[in-house]
Amino acid sequence: MDTLVKIEKVVKVYRVGDEDFTALHDISLNIEAGAFMSFVGPSGSGKTTLLNLMGGLDKPTSGNIFFENINLKDLNRTDLAEYRRKNLGFIFQTYNLLPVYSVYENVLFPLLLDGEKESAVRQKVLDLVEKVGLSDQVNKKPAHLSGGQCQRVAIARALVKQPSLILADEPTANLDAENSYQVLELMRDLNRQLKAAFVFSTHDEKVTKYVNREIGLEDGRIIWDKKRDGNGVLE
Amino acid sequence: MIRWILAGILRDKTRSLFPFLVVMLGVALVVYSVGFMEGVFMGMIDTTANLDTGHLRFVNKPFYDEEHLNPMDRALAAQKETGKWLRENSDPKVQWSPRIRWGAIIDVPDEKGETRSQTPMIGMALDLLSSDSTEIERLQLKNAIVQGELPKGPKEILLGDQLAETLDVKPGQTVTLIGQTFDGGLATDNYKVVGLVRFGVSAMDKKMGLIDLANAQDTFYMEDTVTDWLGFFPSHVPYTDYRKVSSELQSRLAGFREAPPQGWAKDDFPIVLSILDQRNMENMESMFKLVKKIIVGVFILLMILVLWNASLLNGIHRYGELGLLLALGQTHKKIVWMLGLEAFFIGLLGSLSGCLIGGAVVYYMQEVGINMGDAFVQTGMMVNDVMRGRVTLEGFLLGIGPGLVASIFGSLIASVAIFNRSEANLFRELEAG
């Protein structure tokens, strides 16, 4: 598999009051294209910070993050916005759907931001809505959907531009067990169909059953990096 | 994208209703204020023009220089020739009417022929008896008659109703005018009061009388002579055009002066004036423009302040949405542009609604008006008692412009905060909902 993201000796230090707080200590790892993996660990372990840095939302204090050989450190604010727009999809714990727009419109939105004409992408959006199992809800507003359905819309929105990397921060934290499993299965299916890499930050053990790779974080350090072997066991 | 933005505006009342109402109200007030001021100012111009100065005035300069003395001997002769020249050389939209300004003592006799009451008065002589006269319509004399009727024969006079009340005169009575002839002699003539008029201009209703032009020429020995030629534009011509037409005519006048009619005296030197050159109207116009600017400026400022505040609240209300836009890769500039576009649409909708409301009120004011006669009763202002608005394109433009500017500007000021928003905490902020 080709390397999609290369994280090289990354350190992230935050200034908290008069003191420095090191959120990530010398992290190095590679993420392959089409990966389906998670960062697990308790609060404050550095999971979200890592997603922030990979998403170009923040810059490391030292070290480098390469996305397809582009060093994110070299990109300015506008370039980073373009990097996110072209390459990334985001899924949030609280879905962050736009409440006044329908399911169809929420999924369409990233394409409109990219300057696409609705008529040209209408079928693409409807196909994706069908893929996430919401064809019969296409004109409903988020307020009329269940949590699981909202997260499906968020997944469709993240995937509509066919990005190569999806960053999902605690995607199942607001869902009950049944909905969590359904959403995880959906993401795994889409990962296989669309070949987009999914990277989760989570402390939900249910996610472990689905991912092919799990990286444990504690106090900003990698404490394990398990990959699923031929027998389906994470080692 | 525009459809997307419009859908958001229409569906999410919290982002659009308050700014929309602010813009609508502000624009309605601007349109109403400007329309009302335009109406009052144009009403003042038209009333002054009809009763006194015309929109244009062709007058002998020696007469104009001393008109407070009513120097009849400096009136301009060769009425027919002058009228012909004016009609051939001025803008075809202008209607020219000859008039004589006169002053006299009006004497009211008792049954024995002794003076019962007497007072100085001013008067205007104009064409009242010709079948093709436009003056009766222009001065709306049929509507202005409060008692009696219009003159139908020679030596009949219309008096202002307040003057008649002061003199205790009623239609049917005969009065004597005692004045000065064209060549400085004493002029006396009897006139029958046939009607009392009320123009709604206290200054006129207290002092003025109207007689036919030919009768005045006879009474004051002014054959083929008038003191003024007044030019009138149709009401749709804006007052800003008056000066231009006046200048054009003034430039042609040099040739007329070089080959003058035989009846003119050697030192006659007619000039062309627009109404804005007379009765301090230029200052009134400047003041009118200044007040208009102040009103529009104040409303823009107030709207910007309120809309700025509203946009800030909107920014807080939509904190998550704007964060999402950043996460999805929108640049800060693009987000500000989107908010500006949103503000433009809200401003446009608000402005158009405001124009409709303000315009409707101004239209009502234009057609019906408000009677302020009691307030003007003690003033000498040549203002019609009924204050009217005037629907003008400028009024709407002065409403729509500020409505849009305030809406967009208010939004842009509030949007400065977006430039300061860091992406580094977006995950946490968006997790917070």
Side-chain angles (χ1 to χ4, degrees), chain B residues 64-349:
Chain B
Y64 178 69
D65 288 343
E66 296 180 339
E67 72 174 331
H68 58 288
L69 300 173
N70 239 352
M72 308 282 257
D73 55 326
R74 304 325 308 264
L76 203 58
Q79 176 194 344
K80 292 182 187 69
E81 222 174 317
T82 308
K84 185 167 173 273
W85 184 88
L86 284 170
R87 288 180 190 107
E88 285 172 357
N89 285 277
S90 71
D91 189 304
K93 289 194 289 285
V94 183
Q95 272 192 348
W96 288 98
S97 295
R99 291 199 185 173
I100 292 174
R101 291 165 200 275
W102 53 270
I105 288 172
I106 180 169
D107 184 277
V108 184
D110 59 16
E111 308 82 49
K112 294 175 188 167
E114 301 292 332
T115 297
R116 178 162 59 83
S117 56
Q118 198 178 64
T119 188
M121 67 176 290
I122 55 165
M124 186 71 90
L126 61 169
D127 182 6
L128 293 176
L129 299 178
S130 303
S131 56
D132 59 347
S133 170
T134 53
E135 298 279 39
I136 291 171
E137 176 66 27
R138 179 171 297 122
L139 293 179
Q140 297 188 319
L141 285 177
K142 284 178 184 163
N143 295 335
I145 294 266
V146 290
Q147 216 177 320
E149 58 183 9
L150 288 172
K152 287 179 183 154
K155 302 295 168 76
E156 292 182 341
I157 187 169
L158 293 172
L159 290 182
D161 68 331
Q162 291 182 50
L163 175 65
E165 192 182 331
T166 308
L167 293 168
D168 191 20
V169 177
K170 293 197 168 45
Q173 283 183 261
T174 298
V175 295
T176 304
L177 297 182
I178 305 163
Q180 191 183 20
T181 64
F182 176 68
D183 49 10
L186 180 69
T188 58
D189 216 342
N190 288 337
Y191 277 79
K192 183 182 171 190
V193 177
V194 290
L196 307 183
V197 287
R198 184 185 300 151
F199 291 112
V201 178
S202 299
M204 312 300 271
D205 296 342
K206 280 180 192 169
K207 291 181 182 172
M208 201 170 80
L210 298 176
I211 58 177
D212 178 64
L213 185 76
N215 291 177
Q217 287 173 326
D218 182 53
T219 298
F220 300 108
Y221 292 65
M222 295 176 73
E223 191 186 352
D224 200 31
T225 301
V226 296
T227 59
D228 295 76
W229 282 91
L230 301 187
F232 298 95
F233 286 94
S235 61
H236 63 81
V237 178
Y239 71 86
T240 43
D241 284 6
Y242 299 170
R243 272 212 184 93
K244 194 177 132 220
V245 178
S246 160
S247 304
E248 283 169 6
L249 190 59
Q250 186 76 46
S251 62
R252 287 191 200 122
L253 188 56
F256 193 37
R257 284 200 207 103
E258 278 171 22
Q262 278 191 339
W264 284 11
K266 279 183 186 169
D267 56 350
D268 279 347
F269 190 85
I271 53 173
V272 183
L273 303 165
S274 92
I275 189 171
L276 299 172
D277 302 319
Q278 305 170 67
R279 308 287 184 262
N280 209 24
M281 278 292 185
E282 191 173 17
N283 284 340
M284 295 284 278
E285 184 202 10
S286 307
M287 205 186 300
F288 168 68
K289 283 182 176 167
L290 179 69
V291 171
K292 219 163 46 170
K293 279 180 193 162
I294 290 172
I295 286 179
V296 174
V298 165
F299 274 110
I300 289 183
L301 194 68
L302 288 176
M303 279 196 284
I304 286 177
L305 287 175
V306 177
L307 291 171
W308 172 19
N309 210 357
S311 299
L312 282 174
L313 290 173
N314 188 33
I316 293 168
H317 169 66
R318 295 164 68 192
Y319 198 73
E321 181 189 334
L322 300 179
L324 181 72
L325 285 172
L326 288 172
L328 293 181
Q330 278 303 86
T331 58
H332 294 72
K333 255 189 215 167
K334 197 89 181 273
I335 292 173
V336 171
W337 183 85
M338 276 177 67
L339 292 174
L341 200 61
E342 211 170 77
F344 169 80
F345 285 124
I346 293 171
L348 190 65
L349 289 173

Side-chain angles (χ1 to χ4, degrees), chain A residues 48-49 51-52 57-58 77-78 81 84-85 90 92-94 96 98 100-102 105 109 112-113 118 141 157 169, chain B residues 1 3-4 8 11-12 15 321 324-332 334 419 421 423-424 426-428 430-431 433:
Chain A
T48 303
T49 304
L51 291 195
N52 257 339
L57 297 171
D58 205 355
R77 209 178 192 188
T78 308
R84 286 196 298 276
R85 203 169 63 244
F90 288 91
F92 302 97
Q93 177 183 333
T94 48
N96 283 290
L98 302 175
V100 296
Y101 296 102
S102 67
E105 290 165 331
F109 186 46
L112 292 181
L113 293 181
E118 189 200 337
K141 305 268 169 59
R157 182 181 66 190
D169 194 18
Chain B
M1 198 66 197
R3 226 174 69 186
W4 172 275
R11 291 178 200 170
D12 185 3
R15 83 173 69 165
E321 181 189 334
L324 181 72
L325 285 172
L326 288 172
L328 293 181
Q330 278 303 86
T331 58
H332 294 72
K334 197 89 181 273
F419 280 102
R421 185 165 175 186
E423 294 97 329
L426 276 178
F427 266 118
R428 284 188 192 88
L430 292 171
E431 291 313 290

Side-chain angles (χ1 to χ4, degrees), chain A residues 152-165:
Chain A
R152 284 162 183 268
V153 179
I155 291 166
R157 182 181 66 190
L159 284 165
V160 72
K161 286 198 298 180
Q162 295 169 312
S164 44
L165 177 61

